Amino acid sequence: MNKQNKLNLLTKISVLSVSLIITTGPAISPLLPDISNHYNNIPEAAIESLSTVQQFSVVISLIIANFISKKIGIKKTVILGLLLAGFAGVTPFFIDNYYVILISRIVFGVGVGFFNSLAITVIDLLYSGSEKTKLLGIRTSMEQLGYALASLMIGALLLLGWRFGFLIYVWAIPISFIFWKYVPEVQSKTDKNNSSNESHGKKQIGFVFLALFLMLVTLCDTGINVELPKLLVEQKIGTGTLSGIVIAMKTTMAMIVGIFFGKIYNLLHWWVVPSGIVALLIGSLAIPQGHLWLVCLGSVISGIGSPLIGAYSFKTISETAPSGKENAINTMVLIGFNAGSFVAPIALTTGGNLFGGTVKSDFYFMASIFAILLVIVISQKIISRNQTHIKLI
């Protein structure tokens, strides 16, 4: 490997490694029982918020990051976010105070929000063609890998005490260093096309609908992870420990699909989206049937869905967004992702009541959403093709 190829590889590794941190916020959940015992005067709900409170600050800082990156540059904003996430993430190891820990979790979320959308934007700006498609797929896998690694490390560190579990976030600091060293300065493209405001307006409306679409997909995909442990207990076919293994199988499948997204896209093209929805639909129907093997099979199949849909969505944004607007649109879509994840428990409880009010009915509610989305996506494609055919005539 010559020097230039080695540098290119290090640049790719540096760009992709940023996404290892993005999904690690909820990974501290196994620490919560010990934290609750330690701070026995703090309400249980307040303790549980330590694994979710960062989602609020992520959404807010996603918006702020767009303005900051215009002032100090994309590269510096990513590094700032990584350093904030790293130092705030490990703070609970050094300071034994609930309120300090709560604030540190909020600051951690701010840091993640700074580089969440920019992790995608950097790939958009540095790469093109099939190479960009491949890297966007791998980036999705890196999020899954980051969560899996964080969960394993926290499980091991918990043996030393709950405060040691927060040390996992120290890895954000060396990632910030290699990003600074190997990733070149990147700048958003300026709008050089002459397309009309009407055309831009139509595209923006389309991206709003994309954000809502991804919010529903994320709501249900998150719902599978949230409801699966309760389903195993309700149907008396497994335990919470077993559910962790099943979810790990789902995550592994998602990682594999993300890694090979480029090849899958070359084979299926636009059909990766309905294929992803069908996978989630089959999974949500198979899981609640009362058989452990169907739970495992349905979970693995459902793991195919989100990486296909997510990677294709960001690929589409990179190719169709007005020049200079890529990061703003990525931000809007990621807010949809985070909103879907946040409202999942409430939405599933409400929607599940329509199908009987059991955990099993929650899965049927999710299946109905996937079925509706599948009809909408295919109908939109048919209408789009008909309009193109009319124009050609």
Side-chain angles (χ1 to χ4, degrees), residues 279-328:
L280 288 163
L281 174 58
I282 292 172
S284 58
L285 287 174
I287 290 171
Q289 296 309 311
H291 301 284
L292 183 58
W293 71 272
L294 277 174
V295 172
C296 296
L297 180 62
S299 297
V300 170
I301 292 174
S302 68
I304 297 171
S306 284
L308 286 182
I309 297 168
Y312 179 84
S313 298
F314 289 116
K315 177 184 182 300
T316 300
I317 291 171
S318 70
E319 294 174 349
T320 60
S323 296
K325 302 292 185 181
E326 299 90 352
N327 187 51

Side-chain angles (χ1 to χ4, degrees), residues 16-263:
L16 293 170
S17 64
V18 172
S19 294
L20 287 170
I21 311 296
I22 290 174
T23 58
T24 57
I28 67 160
S29 295
L31 305 178
L32 297 183
D34 284 14
I35 295 175
S36 181
N37 291 334
H38 184 73
Y39 297 114
N40 51 28
N41 60 324
I42 302 294
E44 188 70 26
I47 297 295
E48 290 178 355
S49 71
L50 293 177
S51 67
T52 58
V53 70
Q54 73 279 349
Q55 297 302 122
F56 291 103
S57 49
V58 165
V59 171
I60 295 170
S61 60
L62 269 168
I63 301 169
I64 298 173
N66 194 35
F67 297 100
I68 292 178
S69 65
K70 291 178 180 178
K71 295 292 184 182
I72 67 174
I74 291 174
K75 182 175 179 178
K76 289 179 181 177
T77 305
V78 172
I79 293 171
L80 174 62
L82 286 166
L83 291 175
L84 278 175
F87 286 110
V90 300
T91 295
F93 174 75
F94 298 99
I95 302 178
D96 185 4
N97 181 285
Y98 169 78
Y99 297 101
V100 172
I101 295 174
L102 180 64
I103 292 170
S104 74
R105 297 298 293 168
I106 294 171
V107 176
F108 171 81
V110 171
V112 171
F114 278 0
F115 58 77
N116 197 337
S117 65
L118 294 178
I120 301 165
T121 302
V122 170
I123 295 175
D124 289 345
L125 298 176
L126 287 180
Y127 303 98
S128 61
S130 60
E131 187 174 31
K132 177 164 70 174
T133 301
K134 179 181 177 181
L135 289 175
L136 286 172
I138 295 174
R139 191 208 69 81
T140 303
S141 295
M142 295 298 279
E143 290 188 6
Q144 305 288 342
L145 178 61
Y147 182 83
L149 289 174
S151 299
L152 289 172
M153 292 170 66
I154 283 176
L157 290 169
L158 184 56
L159 298 174
L160 302 175
W162 63 265
R163 290 169 64 182
F164 285 85
F166 289 95
L167 289 177
I168 63 159
Y169 295 113
V170 75
W171 67 17
I173 297 172
I175 289 174
S176 70
F177 174 77
I178 64 171
F179 190 89
W180 165 76
K181 186 172 179 63
Y182 296 112
V183 178
E185 293 287 349
V186 287
Q187 293 183 339
S188 294
K189 305 166 189 173
T190 55
D191 194 350
K192 295 180 181 179
N193 61 58
N194 296 316
S195 58
S196 65
N197 290 333
E198 183 182 356
S199 175
H200 278 194
K202 288 181 179 179
K203 283 185 177 181
Q204 288 172 352
I205 292 172
F207 290 130
V208 170
F209 279 109
L210 176 61
L212 292 173
F213 168 75
L214 292 174
M215 182 183 76
L216 290 173
V217 170
T218 306
L219 185 157
C220 295
D221 187 50
T222 301
I224 292 174
N225 293 342
V226 171
E227 297 298 305
L228 196 144
K230 293 186 283 185
L231 180 79
L232 292 181
V233 174
E234 181 182 272
Q235 296 186 337
K236 299 179 180 180
I237 55 175
T239 62
T241 301
L242 180 60
S243 70
I245 297 172
V246 176
I247 292 172
M249 293 165 60
K250 177 175 179 282
T251 302
T252 302
M253 175 55 73
M255 288 169 52
I256 294 170
V257 171
I259 291 170
F260 291 101
F261 173 76
K263 294 183 182 298

